[in-house]
Amino acid sequence: MFQLWGLLVILITCPLLGAMPLISWITYAIKRQRLSQIGTGNISVSAAFYHGGKLVGILAVMSEALKGIAAVSIARFFFPEGSFWELIALISLVTGRYTFGRGAGTTNVVWGFLFHDPLIAAFVSLIAAIGFIVLRSRRTIKFGVLILFPVLVAILHFNDFPRIVAAFALAGLLGWIYTQIPDDMDLPAAEADAQTQPMMEYLSSGEPAIITLDDELEPEVFGAKAATLSQVKRWGYPVPKGWILAPYDDPALLIDFLQPSSLSPLVVRSSAIGEDSEQASAAGQYETILNVTSKQELEIAIAQVQASYNCPGAVQYRRDLGAKDAAMAVLIQAQVQSVFSGVAFSRDPISQQGDAVIIEAVSGSPSQVVSGKVTPEQYRVFVVGEEKLSSIQFEGEGKIPQPLIKQVAYLARRLEYRYHGVPQDVEWSYDGQTLWVLQTRPITTLLPIWTRKIAAEVIPGVIHPLTWSINLPLTCGMWGELFTIVLGEKTRELDFTKMATLHYSRAYFNASFLGEVFIEMGLPPESLDFLTRGAKMSKPPLASTWENLPGLTKLLQREISLEKEFKQDYRRRFIPGLTKLANELIEELSAPELLTRVDLILDLLNQGTYYSILSPLSAAIRQAVSGVKEEQIDYSITPEVSSLRSLQLLATDAKEILPEPDPERIFEQLSETPEGQRILDDFAEIMEDYGYLSEVGTDISVPRWKEQPQLVQQLFIQLIQGNEPKNTDDSKKRQQGFVQSRVDLKGRVTEIYSRLLAELRWTFLALEKIWLKTGLLQQTGDIFFLRLGEVRRLAADADPELRSKLAQLLQNRRSQLIADGQITQIPPLVYGNNPPHPITAPIDTSDHILLGIPASQGQVSGQVKVVRNLQEVGEINKQTILVVPYTDSGWATILVRAGGVIAEAGGKLSHGAIVAREYGIPAVMDVRGATYLLQDGQQVRIDGSKGIVEMEEFVA
């Protein structure tokens, strides 16, 4: 029993011991430097020496040595001295050190093993010291030691099999860690702390290994160009053989190794730190030397490339961008004998939109394109999806074969996909047999990337300034809090207001920003899309996942306690707050009192936003983990479903009173009898209960059901007439509690959040009514063209200039919103912060098929009815295929009357998908361009199981 406790203590205490960031604390206490934010970001002994100097380095060695000795001592307390459990303790220590402490644990193992087996440790240390003096290669010695010490354990302790296994496991773990994290010893010695700079120069100068593109390279050490090409090469793309000279390294060894000649010429290229990054391309700023055919020419070319880093133009370029001066690595490659070559932009850098790959090509060397001395042939190739390549248009005629151009286009788009959707500028060359990648870098002018996905579902349509000024800080602020839970201090310099913006008066999320944050958290960059829309998800980056495991664990704890927290807030905050709001006579409040009411609602919304973000994510995670199908989930608690069911039940009662209803007089007929009047009273109660629903629940500028009850009345009349939508299964199995509880929570959260937004809308309308009377505003709806800060300043009479220019300001904003509202083709992706007016993007419909997200199973054929808003509904029946731009909870009254649903935006968890599944209506979401590609009266067939829309030829 005592040894069992020992095992538990080792497996719990040693990882925690390794996780203690003593080196980080020591460095910050003495040097006020955060190792996690400088150099390689590792918190290691080498980083302490490199950045902190001798004192910091010595204290770091002592702290890590004590950890190693402590781990062995803990094992020795429970188990016999020299047992394999001491090595298990070191393995646990190293695991915690790497996972949580951002270090390799070499010092821990060296001193811990010295305490464990002094004889082997001393012998290995002696061999390592002699080996370094002779070979002068840190890498060789480092990995050599990992082979030597377990072999010696096996020889000297051949009868202790567990000890041998543990020794090899420890060596293997260290070897794997060495391949996962960079070493601060590889950083330029000239930038090390002055006290330890001589030592760093000595250690780095003894590293004779020739670095090639086959190695895994760090952009902070070897520049983004070399690091990117090494990565692309490891992915399996053809990249010419290459060698890299690190900054400040002596080129003599590499010059002596390479054998350039007229038959095997080399090209010498820059790979400056910061070049070809997402912040700066530095295109054309540094030298590239072609046709190097001798060692003498190679030596001169290397010197020229290195010198170009400090040329006036390059220096000014870095200053203009605010980039720090760094250093120049040199990339030397075998020169491709080009037949055709050029550059390819995976997205059009001029139009900044669309699916065209832009290719510039010439016969011969690619330098002709980059230099601008030769006018290249230009081609446009439209690439649809990842697998399907469609040649839509070639502009002009040229010598370059079209099959090669298609191959280049596909290469560019695949590299973009590899880099998580970041548009790529690809330099390529074709030698008659192989299409070579010479360079790929982000198109910096097309960053950041803004996406309508999810944003189009969360807050669709054109957005008024008041709505945006409220939603932006609420949503971005809460996302920032959630990210901070995981990342801690790493979020200190992040501006979460950059998460979203308006283009064409529509909401867009910053895909670049979110992708970087998710990667930093240890999650795939497309995580949000996967959770909310069922998209494919790549493997998470293991290293950062382990690194952020404590933060991810905190987030998991929030998820587990989410329902309990909501119930507490529901009782203590939401119900008292909503009760207070409901009991106030809003028409009798003054402007200051109305603003106090606004503050109360915003305070409740801030807490509600937490649940409105986390509850659907929690439901999606649980569903993905458990594999529960959508059809197995009961959505009856969601407002869009519960409101319809209430109307259905009331319509059934009304049928008994009116066996022969007159559609034109149903409400009048019901009022003629006491039983009918009770039906009307119940109808009014339903309108009161669900009057907060609207076409766009998150947009406070959009009227609620309570204000425009006509759609609900029309559905009620149809239900009484017998056109009742059939619910698929009123007795849905609720045994899937793990998922169902979160879906129920999401429904309750949606109700609370929607009610608060409705109250906020009605409060602003009451304030607008006051200002219309005083003449401050001129027409109904003006208040929604103001921002919240402007409303406050006007109420406080604190901005005379704003008052004087108010009429013109409102007119300009109204005109802009109207103009933006007339744009029918809103691009799903926007590149850069200042996108041009959207162009008509071609969508390949040659096969008469549109693809989307399967949202509700079943197949149905019918005639298209395009409805862009609830004001243009018209006649809808079960032969109607409803085509809509989006579906909020307020759309339920018309969705349920259709035979099928096609939506431009939304996923499997959207309001429209939920309603469709509940009532057995086939539905396809996220069908790009549906509202303008499909026309009223057109015959289509939809397959809600596969996400396919088949179109018939339409003749107007």
Side-chain angles (χ1 to χ4, degrees):
M1 190 65 181
F2 182 71
Q3 291 188 340
L4 179 62
W5 277 108
L7 173 61
L8 291 174
V9 170
I10 288 173
L11 296 180
I12 294 173
T13 305
C14 290
L16 293 176
L17 187 64
M20 290 180 63
L22 296 182
I23 295 176
S24 180
W25 295 342
I26 291 169
T27 307
Y28 185 74
I30 297 176
K31 287 289 187 174
R32 288 289 184 253
Q33 289 182 320
R34 298 186 185 277
L35 290 180
S36 62
Q37 299 175 6
I38 56 178
T40 63
N42 290 340
I43 302 172
S44 61
V45 169
S46 58
F49 270 109
Y50 185 93
H51 300 287
K54 289 182 181 179
L55 176 61
V56 172
I58 291 170
L59 292 175
V61 169
M62 292 173 63
S63 67
E64 296 307 301
L66 289 173
K67 282 185 184 181
I69 294 170
V72 173
S73 299
I74 290 170
R76 194 167 289 182
F77 179 78
F78 292 97
F79 299 97
E81 181 177 339
S83 71
F84 75 94
W85 289 107
E86 294 178 7
L87 297 181
I88 298 297
L90 288 177
I91 291 173
S92 300
L93 179 71
V94 170
T95 302
R97 181 83 176 86
Y98 171 71
T99 304
F100 305 109
R102 299 182 66 177
T106 303
T107 306
N108 307 131
V109 172
V110 167
W111 287 88
F113 198 87
L114 180 64
F115 190 49
H116 166 72
D117 194 327
L119 179 62
I120 292 179
F123 183 73
V124 170
S125 299
L126 178 62
I127 295 298
I130 295 172
F132 183 76
I133 293 172
V134 175
L135 300 176
R136 299 295 301 280
S137 171
R138 285 185 291 107
R139 182 179 178 86
T140 302
I141 298 304
K142 188 162 59 174
F143 283 94
V145 165
L146 294 182
I147 296 172
L148 181 60
F149 92 80
V151 169
L152 288 175
V153 169
I155 293 172
L156 297 180
H157 305 283
F158 61 89
N159 58 346
D160 191 347
F161 184 71
R163 191 171 182 178
I164 295 170
V165 172
F168 276 99
L170 178 59
L173 176 62
L174 284 173
W176 178 80
I177 290 174
Y178 291 157
T179 66
Q180 299 302 307
I181 60 176
D183 190 348
D184 284 75
M185 289 289 188
D186 291 330
L187 295 174
E191 296 180 14
D193 185 275
Q195 292 180 329
T196 55
Q197 196 173 105
M199 178 180 70
M200 294 296 169
E201 289 176 349
Y202 172 77
L203 291 173
S204 62
S205 66
E207 198 63 59
I210 293 175
I211 302 164
T212 74
L213 289 179
D214 294 320
D215 298 319
E216 187 171 348
L217 305 178
E218 293 295 326
E220 297 85 1
V221 178
F222 300 103
K225 182 185 292 180
T228 299
L229 285 176
S230 73
Q231 184 177 54
V232 169
K233 198 170 192 290
R234 291 196 308 278
W235 283 339
Y237 293 92
V239 174
K241 186 182 296 186
W243 304 266
I244 300 91
L245 182 67
Y248 309 110
D249 276 5
D250 187 347
L253 178 69
L254 190 56
I255 293 171
D256 184 60
F257 173 78
L258 295 173
Q259 301 292 329
S261 69
S262 57
L263 295 177
S264 303
L266 300 176
V267 56
V268 181
R269 313 172 67 191
S270 64
S271 185
I273 313 302
E275 181 184 3
D276 288 350
S277 66
E278 291 191 8
Q279 290 72 40
S281 68
Q285 297 300 319
Y286 307 121
E287 287 281 354
T288 295
I289 312 297
L290 301 172
N291 296 312
V292 175
T293 58
S294 69
K295 291 182 181 294
Q296 184 180 4
E297 289 180 6
L298 180 58
E299 183 178 2
I300 295 171
I302 290 173
Q304 283 183 283
V305 170
Q306 289 175 328
S308 68
Y309 188 79
N310 295 312
C311 74
V315 171
Q316 188 61 47
Y317 175 83
R318 294 195 296 271
R319 287 177 182 170
D320 292 341
L321 289 177
K324 295 180 180 178
D325 286 339
M328 171 72 78
V330 178
L331 171 62
I332 303 165
Q333 288 182 276
Q335 185 166 312
V336 175
Q337 302 304 308
S338 305
V339 177
F340 302 110
S341 56
V343 295
F345 302 96
S346 64
R347 302 283 166 174
D348 189 339
I350 306 302
S351 70
Q352 296 183 237
Q353 54 191 298
D355 290 324
V357 176
I358 307 301
I359 299 168
E360 294 184 344
V362 295
S363 298
S365 168
S367 62
Q368 301 174 81
V369 178
V370 179
S371 67
K373 296 176 180 178
V374 175
T375 302
E377 299 170 8
Q378 188 175 91
Y379 302 88
R380 294 172 64 87
V381 182
F382 288 88
V383 179
V384 181
E386 296 169 20
E387 303 298 334
K388 181 180 176 183
L389 178 65
S390 179
S391 172
I392 305 297
Q393 177 183 359
F394 282 86
E395 293 184 354
E397 297 180 358
K399 302 175 183 178
I400 317 300
Q402 284 195 8
L404 175 61
I405 294 298
K406 285 188 177 184
Q407 191 179 351
V408 171
Y410 188 65
L411 170 68
R413 193 56 61 82
R414 288 299 295 173
L415 285 171
E416 176 188 286
Y417 176 72
R418 278 284 194 171
Y419 284 104
H420 310 301
V422 175
Q424 296 292 303
D425 170 357
V426 182
E427 189 176 323
W428 57 273
S429 185
Y430 178 67
D431 63 4
Q433 292 182 329
T434 303
L435 177 61
W436 296 95
V437 178
L438 303 184
Q439 184 172 322
T440 184
R441 60 189 175 201
I443 305 176
T444 54
T445 57
L446 297 186
L447 295 176
I449 304 169
W450 301 93
T451 176
R452 280 282 285 157
K453 285 188 176 182
I454 304 175
E457 186 175 347
V458 172
I459 182 166
V462 291
I463 301 171
H464 288 69
L466 184 58
T467 296
W468 189 245
S469 68
I470 291 169
N471 283 33
L472 181 66
L474 280 175
T475 304
C476 295
M478 190 51 62
W479 273 111
E481 288 187 29
L482 294 175
F483 290 145
T484 302
I485 291 172
V486 179
L487 297 175
E489 290 188 357
K490 293 179 186 177
T491 62
R492 179 176 294 178
E493 297 182 1
L494 295 178
D495 183 0
F496 288 102
T497 60
K498 294 180 179 179
M499 273 182 54
T501 194
L502 292 180
H503 294 302
Y504 320 115
S505 296
R506 271 85 167 185
Y508 282 82
F509 282 151
N510 189 332
S512 304
F513 181 90
L514 287 172
E516 290 171 7
V517 171
F518 281 131
I519 290 173
E520 189 69 32
M521 289 171 66
L523 302 173
E526 64 275 16
S527 297
L528 189 60
D529 216 27
F530 164 76
L531 290 174
T532 57
R533 300 164 61 82
K536 293 180 181 179
M537 187 163 72
S538 60
K539 293 180 180 179
L542 184 61
S544 53
T545 301
W546 278 105
E547 180 183 335
N548 293 298
L549 195 58
L552 291 170
T553 303
K554 290 180 184 176
L555 197 59
L556 178 60
Q557 291 171 344
R558 291 286 187 99
E559 192 280 333
I560 293 171
S561 62
L562 189 64
E563 188 168 8
K564 181 181 178 181
E565 289 180 16
F566 176 74
K567 286 179 178 178
Q568 291 177 348
D569 280 334
Y570 186 80
R571 291 193 307 270
R572 298 174 184 175
R573 301 188 65 183
F574 294 131
I575 290 303
L578 284 169
T579 302
K580 181 179 187 302
L581 293 170
N583 290 333
E584 281 185 334
L585 295 175
I586 194 170
E587 298 83 4
E588 298 179 2
L589 298 180
S590 65
E593 290 171 330
L594 288 171
L595 283 176
T596 300
R597 179 183 166 94
V598 166
D599 290 334
L600 168 63
I601 298 171
L602 290 177
D603 182 55
L604 292 171
L605 278 172
N606 186 58
Q607 186 62 20
T609 303
Y610 170 77
Y611 296 110
S612 72
I613 290 174
L614 214 52
S615 61
L617 290 180
S618 172
I621 291 171
R622 290 187 174 210
Q623 186 177 350
V625 169
S626 64
V628 174
K629 296 180 180 179
E630 294 290 346
E631 293 74 23
Q632 297 175 278
I633 301 173
D634 179 8
Y635 288 96
S636 59
I637 288 181
T638 60
E640 54 265 39
V641 175
S642 59
S643 61
L644 290 175
R645 291 189 175 182
S646 298
L647 284 171
Q648 282 179 284
L649 293 172
L650 190 60
T652 301
D653 294 339
K655 283 181 185 179
E656 297 179 3
I657 300 171
L658 299 176
E660 295 183 5
D662 180 356
E664 301 296 327
R665 298 183 60 252
I666 282 182
F667 281 87
E668 186 179 339
Q669 286 178 303
L670 288 171
S671 66
E672 293 171 353
T673 63
E675 295 83 359
Q677 187 59 51
R678 281 197 294 273
I679 296 291
L680 292 179
D681 291 342
D682 289 343
F683 180 82
E685 189 174 336
I686 290 175
M687 289 302 300
E688 185 65 29
D689 288 342
Y690 297 101
Y692 60 85
L693 295 176
S694 79
E695 178 183 340
V696 186
T698 51
D699 190 345
I700 61 172
S701 69
V702 177
R704 269 42 188 172
W705 277 9
K706 185 177 180 180
E707 302 164 60
Q708 295 183 347
Q710 297 85 354
L711 284 171
V712 188
Q713 291 171 350
Q714 186 178 355
L715 174 62
F716 186 57
I717 290 170
Q718 288 189 319
L719 293 174
I720 294 174
Q721 288 180 283
N723 300 324
E724 182 175 352
K726 303 297 182 185
N727 182 253
T728 54
D729 186 4
D730 286 329
S731 58
K732 276 210 174 157
K733 301 180 181 67
R734 296 179 64 87
Q735 75 272 21
Q736 307 288 350
F738 179 70
V739 179
Q740 187 65 56
S741 62
R742 282 298 181 267
V743 173
D744 292 346
L745 176 62
K746 176 177 176 284
R748 293 195 294 272
V749 169
T750 299
E751 179 188 353
I752 293 294
Y753 203 71
S754 299
R755 284 185 181 276
L756 288 170
L757 286 171
E759 292 289 352
L760 188 62
R761 168 180 166 79
W762 296 329
T763 305
F764 280 117
L765 286 177
L767 181 61
E768 182 185 61
K769 191 174 181 181
I770 294 173
W771 285 352
L772 287 170
K773 286 181 181 179
T774 62
L776 182 62
L777 300 179
Q778 301 302 315
Q779 57 180 306
T780 302
D782 271 354
I783 197 166
F784 298 111
F785 289 96
L786 294 170
R787 299 189 181 99
L788 180 59
E790 293 168 341
V791 170
R792 295 190 189 280
R793 295 201 300 277
L794 288 172
D797 199 13
D799 195 338
E801 184 179 358
L802 176 61
R803 276 182 173 262
S804 65
K805 297 180 179 179
L806 186 59
Q808 187 62 47
L809 177 70
L810 293 174
Q811 181 182 341
N812 292 342
R813 289 179 180 174
R814 188 183 293 272
S815 298
Q816 184 64 55
L817 198 76
I818 292 172
D820 288 342
Q822 292 173 348
I823 300 173
T824 56
Q825 296 193 38
I826 303 300
L829 294 175
V830 162
Y831 298 95
N833 288 315
N834 299 296
H837 191 279
I839 59 174
T840 301
I843 296 178
D844 183 17
T845 58
S846 57
D847 53 6
H848 304 290
I849 289 178
L850 299 176
L851 300 177
I853 294 175
S856 180
Q857 61 185 0
Q859 297 83 34
V860 67
S861 297
Q863 287 191 330
V864 165
K865 172 67 177 175
V866 178
V867 178
R868 292 185 175 85
N869 56 67
L870 295 184
Q871 283 67 51
E872 53 181 57
V873 174
E875 185 63 29
I876 297 173
N877 54 44
K878 289 301 176 183
Q879 285 70 51
T880 302
I881 304 297
L882 199 64
V883 181
V884 296
Y886 50 83
T887 57
D888 211 320
S889 51
W891 287 76
T893 55
I894 68 164
L895 298 179
V896 78
R897 290 148 53 189
V901 177
I902 301 170
E904 284 187 322
K908 293 180 180 180
L909 297 181
S910 65
H911 300 283
I914 291 171
V915 170
R917 284 193 297 272
E918 286 293 313
Y919 289 90
I921 302 169
V924 182
M925 303 287 151
D926 199 35
V927 181
R928 182 180 169 192
T931 58
Y932 59 85
L933 288 173
L934 301 174
Q935 303 176 49
D936 285 351
Q938 185 176 5
Q939 194 76 17
V940 298
R941 181 180 183 275
I942 68 175
D943 187 331
S945 306
K946 298 179 180 178
I948 294 174
V949 178
E950 298 179 43
M951 303 180 294
E952 293 188 4
E953 295 276 3
F954 181 72
V955 180

